[in-house]
Amino acid sequence: MIEVKMISKPKNEGSTSAMNTVSTSYSNMSVKEAAHAAKADVAETAQEAAHASEASHAKESDHAMKAAGLDDGAQGTLDERYLRKDQDDETAHKLTLRSAEVKEEAKLAGGVSLGDGTYAIDKYGVARLAGLVAAYLRSKDFSKGTAQGLDGTGYGVTEDNGRYTMEIDNLIVRMKMVIAALEVHEMTYVGGSVVLSPCGNRVDMVRACNAAGEEITDQTEDQTVSCYRCYFLANDGDREVKNEWSVGQLARCKTENMVDGETVTNQDYWRLCTGVDAEAVEIGGKRYHYMDLSNNAETGMTFTVAEGGETKTYTLDDLPGVDGTLNSVPQAGDNVVGLGHAWDKSRQNAAMISAGDNIGWTLYKGIDRYALDERYVVNRFSVDETVVTTDHLVMRPYAQPDDTTTVTCMRGAYDAAKVYGHNDLVTYGGQVWICTVKMGDTVQGKEPSLTGEGKDYWAVYVAKGKDGKDGKSARRTAVVQLTSDKGTIFDKEYQDVVLKCKVWIDGKSMGGRIPKGKFDWSKDGKPNVSETEFRYRTVSSNDAIDRWECSVKIPRRLIEPIELTAVAVDGNHLIVRASEDITGINVYPCWRARYRTYTSWISNSTKKNVTRWRFHDLVHDEHGIRYMIRKLAVESLGGNLYRVDMSPVLTFVETRCIVLHKTAKVTTRKTALKHGAHTYWAKRGDDGKYRAWGRYGVMLAMDVHMYTNRQPISTVAKCKVYITTDSDTTTTGTASLSL
């Protein structure tokens, strides 16, 4: 209670008159001056005037004001400056309660009441509010988490650059939750299998039905259960659910590791859907759809269904209404999926993610019965195997995406007992064939052919190549060696060092088979022609700082030779097989000669005897000119077979007067055949005749003229020219040809 002192003047000229004078004087002042006068004249100090304005009781305050001689204008000025305690009041300015104290009796009486008492904060700190606007909200034990909030404590709603974050331990949403983006930091577990199929639902209740489709309500009646009617909700609380089941669908249910106490309650059935509702039915105030799952294990069931505006009838002669082994009774709580369809191909496909031992996923196509064997597998990716069906693996070129094709599948050698499909590859008749049937079609027992019945199903994918020589590569390996006869040359005095350039093909020295013009010597990158021998170069100490190189152009036919093989003898003709077409290439007779070659033509005259196939001088003209080689007549027989006329060789042997004569070097059963400067050994056969052979054959060469360096372009077809005689005396024999 604020104490108000009443102040009066002493009587001097009449108390009534004096008071009126003061009152009149106050009323004529301005509002500000009146307030000041009131403080000066009524209160002893300015502090007492402030106490007066804070009086708790309205009447006492008014009385004090009136007693102080304040009118309504002065009182309004005070109302604008001070908060009222006797009535509701408000201020737009900041109000700070520094060390304000709430007395104990106030705590016991209650908390703070707001407005008309609907909203309040009680003595325990529990608030009833109509709304809350705050920069942040948190519990007293709140600690912001560092790892996506997972290690925080308490709860809190915090703000960071206009973004608000709520951290809390558990969040339960009873109805709908709409989320723009959801990031889940949790590792979960899914056992069994997850199936993607045209339909599937969780069964809420099951009713047994008889053959007429009526629910069996009286369990005491002896009625055969024809199907189980499985109900599921037609409304999920927010929207209507469509019944995706159709008649003919194969319904699959399978659970694992489900235990109810000591009783195992695993479900495992595969049943035919024999009926669905036309529209949802209401049961117990809720709306349900249903599908009827057959309980009939017999075949031969007939169904009439409406498809595409017409009625169709299907009779299942080989598909029972329920799998014979997977036939648990449907129950409420079963998760049933459509896995296959009896006749609708558009509902026969499915995908399955399995979490068993062979974990992975599989795509199925065309499931029309209670089976998931390999014939229905399109793709499978698992830890044990990967299966890809080529009909469904389509390759799309980057340059033209609309031009797609399926990949090929190699099936090995053709087998008439096997079934083949689109883009299957087989080997047959030395060629690779591709099956040309349409995707999804198959063929059996039609062997690949270009002219017969198989031409409608097969095409050549890889044509047969030319027969090569067994055991050898068509291309040889060439090695060029550049060596010195004195080893490594150091920077010191030396004379007459011979640099050698040699060519080896498949480990065999080519010797003089490479023409002189194919070797090019150079010194310090500049051409340098040898004046002595095309394969050798002499250097001395004057060339110590020079760099010598020799490049060789190896004839292509030395690397990729044409192989000639003698096959048979036809009279005076030799039948040969060539590794490639020799049409347009000349064939010349040759013979195996033994002669000497120089190992070094520069520093010494060492010689070496070698044997080599050479062209033979088969003709001597009237002028005595030798080395006129005549081509042999060649006729193609097809299939890389050729007939070579060897008559010139036989004629040459006879005209050269090959004679037999005894020498002291042989026994009576052997003799030597003398041919010019060469001697051949002959042996008498069982018929008493003596035979000798000359080492003759044929070579391939390009155009060969007189006095030219005749270089062969192929290996030799070896044959034998036999000389026959009836005695061991000196005589002229008869020539014949043999292999």
Side-chain angles (χ1 to χ4, degrees):
M1 179 75 63
I2 298 176
E3 182 180 0
V4 179
K5 293 183 179 181
M6 301 300 294
I7 303 173
S8 62
K9 284 189 174 184
K11 295 180 179 180
N12 47 13
E13 295 176 358
S15 59
T16 302
S17 176
M19 183 60 68
N20 289 337
T21 301
V22 173
S23 175
T24 301
S25 177
Y26 279 14
S27 62
N28 292 330
M29 292 181 181
S30 63
V31 174
K32 183 175 181 181
E33 293 173 343
H36 179 71
K39 292 179 185 179
D41 298 337
V42 178
E44 293 182 349
T45 63
Q47 184 176 3
E48 291 177 347
H51 286 318
S53 66
E54 295 175 356
S56 62
H57 196 279
K59 289 184 179 181
E60 294 177 350
S61 176
D62 291 342
H63 179 70
M65 293 295 182
K66 291 179 180 180
L70 299 178
D71 59 9
D72 292 337
Q75 184 174 339
T77 300
L78 296 177
D79 289 341
E80 291 180 359
R81 298 179 60 186
Y82 304 102
L83 291 176
R84 301 291 296 268
K85 295 178 61 178
D86 57 337
Q87 64 185 39
D88 293 344
D89 203 353
E90 64 181 9
T91 178
H93 299 282
K94 181 178 179 181
L95 180 63
T96 301
L97 301 178
R98 299 186 181 276
S99 57
E101 179 182 358
V102 179
K103 294 183 178 181
E104 188 64 26
E105 53 266 29
K107 294 182 181 178
L108 296 176
V112 179
S113 178
L114 306 176
D116 58 358
T118 303
Y119 309 110
I121 302 176
D122 65 17
K123 62 181 180 179
Y124 302 108
V126 178
R128 298 194 310 274
L129 305 174
L132 179 64
V133 178
Y136 61 88
L137 181 66
R138 62 187 182 187
S139 62
K140 62 181 180 179
D141 61 340
F142 173 70
S143 174
K144 184 177 178 61
T146 58
Q148 295 293 327
L150 300 180
D151 59 347
T153 58
Y155 70 86
V157 178
T158 58
E159 183 266 344
D160 183 12
N161 293 328
R163 300 285 184 175
Y164 289 85
T165 301
M166 171 180 281
E167 295 186 29
I168 195 169
D169 293 328
N170 298 305
L171 179 64
I172 298 175
V173 180
R174 295 188 179 89
M175 294 297 288
K176 180 188 293 186
M177 181 168 62
V178 179
I179 301 176
L182 179 62
E183 181 179 354
V184 180
H185 294 262
E186 180 182 10
M187 181 178 292
T188 62
Y189 162 79
V190 176
S193 300
V194 177
V195 178
L196 307 179
S197 69
C199 54
N201 291 97
R202 183 183 185 278
V203 177
D204 292 292
M205 55 184 174
V206 179
R207 300 288 187 268
C209 297
N210 56 27
E214 300 171 343
E215 295 186 4
I216 301 175
T217 57
D218 189 352
Q219 300 296 330
T220 61
E221 294 186 17
D222 186 13
Q223 297 189 54
T224 301
V225 178
S226 176
C227 67
Y228 290 96
R229 183 158 293 172
C230 301
Y231 291 91
F232 56 93
L233 284 173
N235 190 293
D236 63 358
D238 185 43
R239 53 190 171 182
E240 290 292 319
V241 176
K242 183 181 178 181
N243 190 350
E244 298 287 355
W245 291 88
S246 67
V247 176
Q249 197 81 54
L250 307 182
R252 184 76 168 97
C253 176
K254 180 179 178 61
T255 60
E256 295 177 334
N257 302 327
M258 302 294 292
V259 179
D260 183 7
E262 297 180 355
T263 303
V264 177
T265 60
N266 286 326
Q267 291 286 84
D268 199 356
Y269 58 83
W270 211 341
R271 296 171 181 263
L272 178 68
C273 179
T274 59
V276 296
D277 61 273
E279 59 182 27
V281 297
E282 185 172 338
I283 302 176
K286 296 183 179 180
R287 301 175 67 248
Y288 293 88
H289 288 301
Y290 68 81
M291 72 278 196
D292 293 335
L293 303 185
S294 176
N295 194 43
N296 183 4
E298 302 296 329
T299 60
M301 294 178 292
T302 301
F303 299 92
T304 301
V305 295
E307 293 181 0
E310 58 179 326
T311 302
K312 295 183 179 180
T313 301
Y314 297 95
T315 300
L316 307 182
D317 294 329
D318 59 348
L319 183 68
V322 59
D323 188 286
T325 57
L326 309 179
N327 51 17
S328 300
V329 176
Q331 299 178 5
D334 288 350
N335 286 308
V336 186
V337 297
L339 195 57
H341 199 283
W343 59 79
D344 190 348
K345 294 185 179 299
S346 66
R347 302 177 68 86
Q348 292 177 343
N349 307 328
M352 182 179 298
I353 303 174
S354 301
D357 295 335
N358 190 22
I359 189 170
W361 65 272
T362 307
L363 295 179
Y364 296 95
K365 179 180 178 64
I367 306 172
D368 58 357
R369 59 196 62 248
Y370 307 117
L372 290 178
D373 50 40
E374 294 300 318
R375 57 184 160 173
Y376 302 115
V377 175
V378 176
N379 295 328
R380 174 186 292 134
F381 295 86
S382 64
V383 295
D384 290 343
E385 66 175 353
T386 297
V387 177
V388 177
T389 305
T390 57
D391 274 7
H392 298 81
L393 182 57
V394 177
M395 304 298 289
R396 186 177 64 183
Y398 168 77
Q400 190 172 352
D402 58 337
D403 185 12
T404 59
T405 183
T406 61
V407 298
T408 58
C409 181
M410 175 54 72
R411 300 286 304 279
Y414 173 76
D415 187 347
K418 291 184 178 180
V419 179
Y420 297 97
H422 180 72
N423 272 5
D424 280 351
L425 298 179
V426 297
T427 56
Y428 182 77
Q431 301 189 111
V432 179
W433 300 78
I434 185 169
C435 188
T436 58
V437 300
K438 296 187 300 182
M439 291 179 55
D441 292 348
T442 59
V443 62
Q444 183 180 14
K446 308 295 183 182
E447 64 183 30
S449 172
L450 293 178
T451 57
E453 189 178 9
K455 67 181 177 60
D456 297 329
Y457 307 97
W458 300 93
V460 175
Y461 190 74
V462 178
K464 181 180 179 180
K466 298 177 181 179
D467 293 334
K469 188 174 181 179
D470 295 338
K472 287 187 178 180
S473 171
R475 185 176 180 89
R476 298 175 175 181
T477 301
V479 177
V480 178
Q481 293 181 341
L482 184 61
T483 60
S484 167
D485 65 344
K486 294 184 179 180
T488 303
I489 303 174
F490 294 95
D491 187 10
K492 61 181 181 179
E493 293 292 330
Y494 58 88
Q495 293 292 332
D496 297 330
V497 175
V498 179
L499 301 179
K500 304 176 182 179
C501 186
K502 296 182 179 181
V503 178
W504 302 77
I505 296 182
D506 284 348
K508 181 179 180 181
S509 175
M510 289 295 97
R513 299 193 65 182
I514 301 178
K516 176 180 179 180
K518 301 296 183 181
F519 290 82
D520 294 323
W521 284 92
S522 62
K523 181 173 69 172
D524 291 334
K526 298 179 181 181
N528 187 284
V529 179
S530 173
E531 298 177 355
T532 53
E533 215 282 327
F534 58 90
R535 288 184 295 134
Y536 300 91
R537 178 64 181 169
T538 303
V539 297
S540 64
S541 59
N542 295 330
D543 303 312
I545 61 174
D546 298 334
R547 296 186 58 184
W548 286 87
E549 296 179 353
C550 184
S551 61
V552 185
K553 296 180 180 178
I554 303 175
R556 184 172 62 90
R557 286 304 177 190
L558 294 180
I559 303 297
E560 300 177 356
I562 299 176
E563 299 287 345
L564 295 180
T565 305
V567 176
V569 172
D570 181 13
N572 291 340
H573 293 82
L574 177 66
I575 309 301
V576 298
R577 175 182 288 112
S579 60
E580 63 182 74
D581 185 13
I582 62 173
T583 302
I585 301 178
N586 300 325
V587 180
Y588 294 92
C590 62
W591 65 304
R592 196 171 182 84
R594 185 174 180 82
Y595 61 98
R596 291 181 176 182
T597 60
Y598 294 94
T599 58
S600 175
W601 290 18
I602 304 300
S603 60
N604 55 62
S605 59
T606 304
K607 298 179 181 179
K608 180 180 180 182
N609 293 325
V610 297
T611 302
R612 183 178 300 164
W613 286 93
R614 304 180 65 188
F615 292 107
H616 202 288
D617 49 340
L618 298 182
V619 178
H620 290 222
D621 65 7
E622 59 186 19
H623 302 291
I625 301 177
R626 300 166 65 87
Y627 306 113
M628 293 186 64
I629 307 301
R630 289 186 177 179
K631 296 184 297 185
L632 299 177
V634 179
E635 177 187 359
S636 175
L637 301 178
N640 282 358
L641 289 177
Y642 299 88
R643 179 188 286 113
V644 182
D645 185 3
M646 299 295 291
S647 298
V649 179
L650 301 176
T651 302
F652 173 77
V653 171
E654 293 185 28
T655 58
R656 292 291 290 169
C657 300
I658 298 178
V659 296
L660 292 172
H661 60 88
K662 284 186 177 181
T663 67
K665 296 181 180 180
V666 296
T667 64
T668 56
R669 293 187 59 84
K670 288 185 178 181
T671 187
L673 174 61
K674 193 70 174 178
H675 176 202
H678 302 281
T679 300
Y680 299 93
W681 296 104
K683 182 179 180 180
R684 186 171 61 182
D686 295 337
D687 56 0
K689 295 183 179 181
Y690 289 87
R691 294 176 174 82
W693 57 272
R695 297 181 178 90
Y696 286 90
V698 293
M699 268 190 183
L700 297 180
M702 302 305 291
D703 291 335
V704 178
H705 303 283
M706 294 184 300
Y707 317 119
T708 60
N709 184 18
R710 294 173 291 275
Q711 292 295 330
I713 62 172
S714 76
T715 57
V716 179
K718 301 176 182 178
C719 59
K720 298 178 181 180
V721 178
Y722 279 87
I723 310 301
T724 305
T725 182
D726 294 332
S727 67
D728 58 358
T729 59
T730 301
T731 182
T732 300
T734 302
S736 64
L737 180 67
S738 178
L739 293 177

